[in-house]
Amino acid sequence: MPRTVILPKGSLSLHKRQAVENDMILLIHCEGWPVIRREEIAVFNDLFFHTNRKKYAGGRRGSKDPSVSIDLDRFKKRLKILYTHWNERKSDLWQSSHLIFMVYTPEVAERPKSAALNLWLLGYELEDTIMVFMEKEMHILCSTEDSSFLEALQGPARAAIGIDCLLHVKGNRADKEVVLRMMDGLMEDISKGTAFSIPTVGHIAQEASRGWLAKAWTDKFRSLNFPLLDVASGFSDLFSVKDSGEIMNVWKAAYLTDDVMRNCMIPAIKDAVEERVSHSRLTEKARRAVSRAAFLVDARLMMDPGSVGICFGPIIQSGSGFDIRPGHAASSAGLLQYGSAHAVMIALGCSYKGYCSAMVRMILFQKSPQQAKAYKALLTGEEAVIGSLRPGVRLSTVYHAAVSAVEREAPELVPHLTETFGSSMGLEFHESEWAIEARNERTVRQNMVFNVYLGLQDLQKDPKDGPTFSMVLADTVVVGGEDTTVLTPSSKLPRDVSYSLSIEVKDEEEAEAERCVALDRKEAERIPVIGEDIHKMISGELTLDGWLDKESLKVPKVPGSSRRRQPQNVPKGGRSSRGISKLG
């Protein structure tokens, strides 16, 4: 894992090379070095990330990686939870199944429940693997590479619940014929291990045809006329309540999401008003920011940058005709659109160790009265959802509480609300069984994590005529015993998302003053590092971001004030530039 280093005075390029070679990442370099510059930090982190992009790309890990090892204590704990849940809820959630199998083949974009089970139970996604759970046995069909560390499960499985963990090794590059023969052998062992001549088999019906391995294994049971029943609801219920480690992973993912949204995506949208950039360029900038942010927060949150990923977005939409359906939204094409009564939707979701987070924010440019009213109603509705997510409350009750809140604020907007107001979230981005909708009678539990996702669609900017627009707000929240905590706290208040467009007119004197400040900007940013601040950063009392945000580091304002006029009033000899300012 990258480590924080303090570099002594010397050649920066030399230390960059040494740090990369020794798996280090630069956060501060101040011992004996009187100054620090922001661009030096950015350049170094770009260099580090691109040099190690393969090593820290995130995602699946193969057993060739010597660092791969299974947390056996966690495995024993969760295997016991799985079997206890299966036995206690067998009739209503597990379809009275006598055995359950899962097949994971990474041939789909979204994470299937089979991959979620791999991560939840083992901590890794094992590709092209079959897992079968029986009353007294657990069978795993895997590659030779994976078997080298899966062998460690045999003792803990017996100690936890008294079952035998049996491995069936198919080789690393076995062809289909070899794998099919291995399946026949596995099927014989299963038949011997069950007390039922025709056992009821639980599986994930939606994944039965995803990849030839899943299809071939499912066909083996069908050929024997074994009943196959869908147990997706059982796994959804099993994954719904998170333990402290899982909540910490969600919190870290949400911290990254909120950090990139607040410090990269929203400022980039504001800058784009002057630069006129494309949606695709802005989304790519956000992706790079996630990678860099993972390294920057490593020392503060004890995070492994290789476990950071993106599960949602980044998505940026502007103009009109937004598509805000969860799972279907995509960034708009072309250049960022802005102007009077224009809105921009920004969405992002980071993941950490497979656990997801998500948030959506709006930016409103010179919002119309209709947009102002719609946003206020939307914010009221989201607050009602978050306030109603309490242990023991039905999800349908949460849904109707939000509808009532919007109805009190603006009854004419109720028909424009999205059909669902989010869902539970964790290893899966969207757990449909736990959707916040009108007919879902499941009850909220403590330590559940939700993606609250509330939207208004197909609204008109002007009641008489005009193009349609949509709005959406989303946050990651965790349900506590008494309170629901928002893990993505960036402001959604109307005053913080509303901006006015203006034409800024500067005379020659003001323009010259700004040019002088620009020439001196580098010197203004080279601020002496005070010894007290160094010790605070080393001890963790002061973060790098907090240090950079200190008043002493801010660039002096340009002397004088700008006069704001209409475009047609630009004086001769002056110059104009488009800018934005926050509406109070």
Side-chain angles (χ1 to χ4, degrees):
M1 179 183 292
R3 302 183 296 278
T4 304
V5 293
I6 301 177
L7 296 177
K9 185 175 181 179
S11 168
L12 182 59
S13 60
L14 173 62
H15 288 299
K16 284 179 181 178
R17 289 199 302 273
Q18 291 176 344
V20 170
E21 290 170 0
N22 292 289
D23 252 11
M24 296 180 180
I25 178 169
L26 174 68
L27 288 184
I28 54 176
H29 53 97
C30 47
E31 185 180 319
W33 206 332
V35 294
I36 179 172
R37 291 189 297 172
R38 303 176 194 216
E39 59 266 31
E40 290 174 347
I41 296 174
V43 167
F44 179 87
N45 283 296
D46 279 339
L47 172 66
F48 183 92
F49 174 70
H50 289 295
T51 304
N52 295 275
R53 61 186 181 278
K54 291 184 179 179
K55 183 172 183 179
Y56 294 112
R60 309 175 186 92
R61 297 189 183 187
S63 57
K64 285 184 177 181
D65 186 346
S67 66
V68 169
S69 62
I70 296 174
D71 186 334
L72 297 180
D73 289 335
R74 185 181 65 183
F75 169 75
K76 288 194 294 185
K77 176 184 175 182
R78 293 187 178 176
L79 185 66
K80 188 173 182 178
I81 291 173
L82 169 60
Y83 271 79
T84 301
H85 192 279
W86 182 16
N87 290 325
E88 292 179 352
R89 307 295 301 273
K90 182 172 286 189
S91 59
D92 60 334
L93 292 177
W94 297 98
Q95 302 286 355
S96 298
S97 54
H98 301 121
L99 65 92
I100 299 168
F101 76 81
M102 300 282 274
V103 184
Y104 174 46
T105 51
E107 298 187 9
V108 290
E110 71 277 10
R111 174 176 292 138
K113 278 187 168 57
S114 54
L117 178 65
N118 271 240
L119 285 168
W120 183 78
L121 191 61
L122 306 175
Y124 300 99
E125 296 180 17
L126 303 181
E127 300 179 1
D128 299 322
T129 302
I130 299 174
M131 301 179 72
V132 183
F133 301 94
M134 303 173 64
E135 184 180 357
K136 297 294 184 182
E137 295 173 349
M138 172 184 173
H139 296 265
I140 304 177
L141 178 66
C142 60
S143 67
T144 304
E145 291 178 358
D146 291 338
S147 68
S148 63
F149 69 94
L150 289 175
E151 289 175 351
L153 302 180
Q154 295 173 337
R158 202 172 295 114
I161 53 176
I163 67 171
D164 293 323
C165 180
L166 305 174
L167 302 183
H168 304 259
V169 183
K170 60 182 173 63
N172 292 332
R173 292 185 175 86
D175 58 29
K176 292 184 179 181
E177 292 300 322
V178 173
V179 175
L180 289 172
R181 287 197 296 271
M182 292 293 301
M183 286 182 180
D184 291 334
L186 174 56
M187 190 63 72
E188 290 180 9
D189 290 347
I190 290 173
S191 299
K192 294 176 183 177
T194 180
F196 303 91
S197 57
I198 304 180
T200 301
V201 180
H203 74 137
I204 306 299
Q206 191 177 14
E207 300 178 20
S209 58
R210 290 179 174 176
W212 80 269
L213 187 68
K215 188 176 185 304
W217 182 242
T218 305
D219 288 344
K220 291 287 183 183
F221 286 98
R222 288 184 175 137
S223 66
L224 297 173
N225 295 319
F226 288 178
L228 286 167
L229 299 177
D230 189 11
V231 293
S233 295
F235 282 106
S236 292
D237 195 83
L238 175 69
F239 297 148
S240 62
V241 177
K242 277 67 177 177
D243 60 30
S244 58
E246 292 177 291
I247 291 176
M248 179 58 69
N249 289 336
V250 173
W251 180 80
K252 290 180 178 180
Y255 182 95
L256 277 175
T257 299
D258 189 81
D259 184 71
V260 173
M261 177 72 75
R262 184 178 64 254
N263 296 321
C264 172
M265 296 186 74
I266 291 178
I269 297 296
K270 298 174 185 177
D271 294 341
V273 172
E274 296 183 1
E275 297 176 8
R276 298 290 288 160
V277 300
S278 65
H279 296 87
S280 60
R281 180 180 171 187
L282 290 170
T283 55
E284 181 57 32
K285 183 176 182 178
R287 288 183 182 277
R288 293 196 301 269
V290 170
S291 302
R292 288 194 294 268
F295 290 105
L296 288 173
V297 302
D298 168 48
R300 287 175 282 171
L301 304 183
M302 299 299 291
M303 294 179 67
D304 172 17
S307 297
V308 172
I310 296 178
C311 59
F312 175 51
I315 297 170
I316 299 174
Q317 295 187 13
S318 67
S320 59
F322 290 1
D323 183 357
I324 62 173
R325 296 173 296 168
H328 298 275
S331 291
S332 303
L335 298 175
L336 183 75
Q337 301 295 311
Y338 65 91
S340 179
H342 271 60
V344 179
M345 183 194 79
I346 318 168
L348 177 66
C350 296
S351 65
Y352 183 68
K353 292 188 176 180
Y355 288 86
C356 302
S357 66
M359 68 184 298
V360 181
R361 292 293 183 266
M362 301 295 301
I363 291 182
L364 307 176
F365 292 112
Q366 294 189 191
K367 60 181 182 291
S368 66
Q370 289 74 28
Q371 286 178 318
K373 185 177 184 180
Y375 187 83
K376 183 180 179 182
L378 182 65
L379 184 58
T380 301
E382 196 208 18
E383 290 173 347
V385 172
I386 296 172
S388 302
L389 283 171
R390 295 288 186 272
V393 178
R394 295 182 185 275
L395 290 173
S396 58
T397 302
V398 176
Y399 176 87
H400 290 298
V403 171
S404 299
V406 174
E407 191 172 23
R408 288 192 298 270
E409 194 72 37
E412 71 277 10
L413 297 180
V414 172
H416 297 274
L417 285 167
T418 49
E419 292 183 2
T420 65
F421 297 159
S423 68
S424 176
M425 180 172 61
L427 289 168
E428 294 179 275
F429 178 73
H430 175 68
E431 297 174 346
S432 57
E433 291 84 356
W434 292 94
I436 303 173
E437 57 187 9
R439 294 177 296 278
N440 196 337
E441 297 304 310
R442 291 177 181 248
T443 57
V444 179
R445 302 173 190 169
Q446 184 175 346
N447 290 348
M448 291 186 72
V449 174
F450 282 88
N451 171 26
V452 177
Y453 188 99
L454 191 68
L456 291 167
Q457 49 197 345
D458 300 328
L459 303 174
Q460 284 192 319
K461 297 178 183 178
D462 190 303
K464 299 178 182 179
D465 194 11
T468 61
F469 69 96
S470 299
M471 291 182 176
V472 63
L473 288 174
D475 283 288
T476 300
V477 304
V478 59
V479 179
E482 298 179 358
D483 298 318
T484 297
T485 304
V486 179
L487 302 182
T488 47
S490 288
S491 179
K492 298 164 288 190
L493 296 177
R495 67 171 180 267
D496 293 325
V497 302
S498 304
Y499 295 87
S500 64
L501 289 167
S502 60
I503 298 298
E504 195 174 75
V505 182
K506 305 180 179 70
D507 56 27
E508 290 299 328
E509 183 178 346
E510 288 178 311
E512 180 62 26
E514 287 200 358
R515 281 195 291 271
C516 292
V517 171
L519 291 174
D520 294 335
R521 184 175 297 274
K522 288 185 178 180
E523 287 302 317
E525 290 184 350
R526 298 179 69 90
I527 306 298
V529 178
I530 302 174
E532 181 181 354
D533 286 347
I534 298 174
H535 294 296
K536 286 184 178 180
M537 283 189 281
I538 295 172
S539 64
E541 297 178 36
L542 178 64
T543 65
L544 180 65
D545 287 347
W547 184 77
L548 290 173
D549 288 337
K550 289 178 67 174
E551 286 295 327
S552 60
L553 292 177
K554 294 183 178 178
V555 178
K557 293 183 178 180
V558 179
S561 60
S562 300
R563 298 189 301 276
R564 301 191 178 276
R565 302 174 181 169
Q566 296 300 320
Q568 62 268 26
N569 294 333
V570 177
K572 184 177 180 180
R575 62 184 181 88
S576 65
S577 63
R578 185 175 295 276
I580 63 172
S581 59
K582 188 177 293 187
L583 293 176

